[in-house]
Amino acid sequence: MADGKDGAGKSGSGKDGNGKSGSGKGKSGRKGAKGRASKRPGRLPLSVYEAELFRLQAELVALQEWVRSTGARVLVIFEGRDAAGKGSAIKRLTEYLNPRVARIVALPAPTDRQRGEWYFQRYVQHLPAAGEIVLMDRSWYNRAGVEHVMGFCTPAEHKRFMAQCPVFERLLVQDGILMFKYWFSISHAEQERRFKSRLDDPMRQWKLSPMDREAILRWEDYSRAKDDMFMQTDTAESPWYVVEAEDKRRARINMIAHLLSSIDYTEVRTEQVTLPERPKAVNYTRPPRELFRYVPDHASILQKSDEE
């Protein structure tokens, strides 16, 4: 079984940069709903996935231009089980976006000074300004999950977080931030399979950590922590949306489609850019190539080896 209950609530919380409430108009997907199908569908065919992903990515570029031109502020929080595919979903979402508009926030462990601050303090500085999209690869919900389960915070600190978090998020939404919270859900069997696939993959071994071992050993503890977190923070102003992530392709498509359908954005007409004719050089002679240090042509070595 996958963990926890499905997210509830309405699409499109908050207001846009012009003070208009987001209506959650369906452009690229359907709104989230309570409950889930009793049987999970199979893996999405690659051809279907790639075609729809590219279409959605084109829509994301349109959303980006709307955010930039209207001064809207969009905050997307990615949470969920370890190895559930949050990072890869963020990569696909931002593939064609301008990093000056769409920022990824993935904070390391807090410093000693940050541990002495108000808990939400270090996250506030990363919130979106006008015309920005911020994607948080894990967020302040660390306190409700890993910190609570692993004993990195006290019971009093955890209780205080649970009381303050809905208030904090309500203030963000009331100030006009369009906030979306996604929980990526996988089964314990699928999580273990993904962990094992990294063991012998030198390109992905860095993803494994001692915390991943604890994720397996403390599966039920994390389940209880997640259920408690949803109970306290799945609010009308800031609902949770669960992304079934057994199939990463479906998870990415479903999550991006839902995000697009939850924001009432419009296409922004941009000024057509034309390229001028290059003027002829006047009184300029390029210095001899021998004066510069060039990167060795490694590609030619590969080509020659291949031809032989």
Side-chain angles (χ1 to χ4, degrees):
M1 290 179 62
D3 53 296
K5 65 184 181 68
D6 202 350
K10 300 177 182 178
S11 297
S13 59
K15 299 178 181 180
D16 64 20
N18 298 320
K20 297 169 71 177
S21 296
S23 63
K25 244 186 228 184
K27 285 188 177 67
S28 310
R30 299 180 62 186
K31 297 180 181 180
K34 288 214 174 189
R36 59 169 64 134
S38 59
K39 183 179 180 181
R40 289 193 181 95
R43 194 176 193 197
L44 189 66
L46 182 61
S47 59
V48 176
Y49 164 72
E50 290 181 338
E52 179 63 5
L53 178 63
F54 189 74
R55 187 188 74 80
L56 292 173
Q57 288 173 329
E59 283 294 309
L60 286 168
V61 172
L63 171 64
Q64 168 189 261
E65 292 307 299
W66 175 83
V67 168
R68 185 183 58 79
S69 65
T70 62
R73 293 173 289 165
V74 178
L75 175 63
V76 187
I77 291 175
F78 292 78
E79 293 286 350
R81 294 284 189 176
D82 292 322
K86 300 177 294 297
S88 61
I90 293 173
K91 286 182 180 179
R92 295 340 182 259
L93 195 154
T94 58
E95 187 172 1
Y96 295 102
L97 300 186
N98 184 343
R100 294 183 179 87
V101 177
R103 292 191 290 111
I104 300 173
V105 175
L107 299 183
T111 64
D112 289 340
R113 184 185 186 283
Q114 288 170 335
R115 290 189 182 94
E117 297 174 343
W118 176 49
Y119 180 71
F120 294 95
Q121 188 169 332
R122 76 175 183 136
Y123 294 99
V124 169
Q125 61 184 309
H126 297 286
L127 293 173
E132 284 188 338
I133 301 170
V134 169
L135 310 169
M136 284 194 171
D137 188 352
R138 297 205 180 278
S139 64
W140 45 80
Y141 282 102
N142 279 335
R143 176 136 296 179
V146 64
E147 290 190 18
H148 175 54
V149 173
M150 297 299 298
F152 297 155
C153 68
T154 67
E157 288 172 331
H158 176 255
K159 183 177 180 180
R160 187 182 310 123
F161 169 83
M162 288 298 201
Q164 291 183 350
C165 185
V167 179
F168 174 69
E169 293 182 349
R170 186 178 305 119
L171 292 174
L172 299 183
V173 172
Q174 288 176 350
D175 200 60
I177 291 179
L178 295 170
M179 182 164 63
F180 302 91
K181 303 187 301 190
Y182 291 102
W183 177 271
F184 283 66
S185 175
I186 56 173
S187 65
H188 57 80
E190 177 62 17
Q191 184 191 59
E192 188 170 354
R193 186 195 69 78
R194 293 180 187 180
F195 282 156
K196 288 180 178 178
S197 72
R198 296 173 180 177
L199 287 173
D200 301 320
D201 187 345
M203 304 299 285
R204 298 191 299 154
Q205 283 179 351
W206 63 270
K207 291 186 174 184
L208 289 172
S209 71
M211 286 300 171
D212 293 328
R213 182 176 182 275
E214 295 299 329
I216 295 175
L217 296 175
R218 300 173 185 254
W219 176 271
E220 291 186 0
D221 292 336
Y222 275 106
S223 293
R224 283 188 285 269
K226 180 256 184 179
D227 291 342
D228 189 23
M229 180 186 78
F230 266 48
M231 185 69 67
Q232 301 296 325
T233 64
D234 183 19
T235 64
E237 296 92 350
S238 181
W240 277 104
Y241 294 101
V242 175
V243 181
E244 289 284 10
E246 292 287 287
D247 175 12
K248 288 186 177 182
R249 294 175 187 171
R250 289 183 183 274
R252 296 163 190 162
I253 293 296
N254 293 341
M255 180 263 144
I256 296 173
H258 178 268
L259 177 65
L260 289 167
S261 71
S262 300
I263 301 177
D264 193 19
Y265 66 97
T266 56
E267 184 177 354
V268 176
R269 293 182 178 272
T270 56
E271 184 178 350
Q272 187 69 32
V273 177
T274 59
L275 298 178
E277 291 187 11
R278 187 182 300 276
K280 294 182 179 180
V282 179
N283 298 326
Y284 174 75
T285 301
R286 182 175 179 174
R289 293 175 61 90
E290 293 77 15
L291 297 178
F292 301 95
R293 295 183 180 88
Y294 286 89
V295 173
D297 191 359
H298 180 66
S300 289
I301 299 174
L302 298 176
Q303 183 179 10
K304 182 178 179 180
S305 176
D306 183 64
E307 290 172 352
E308 293 176 350

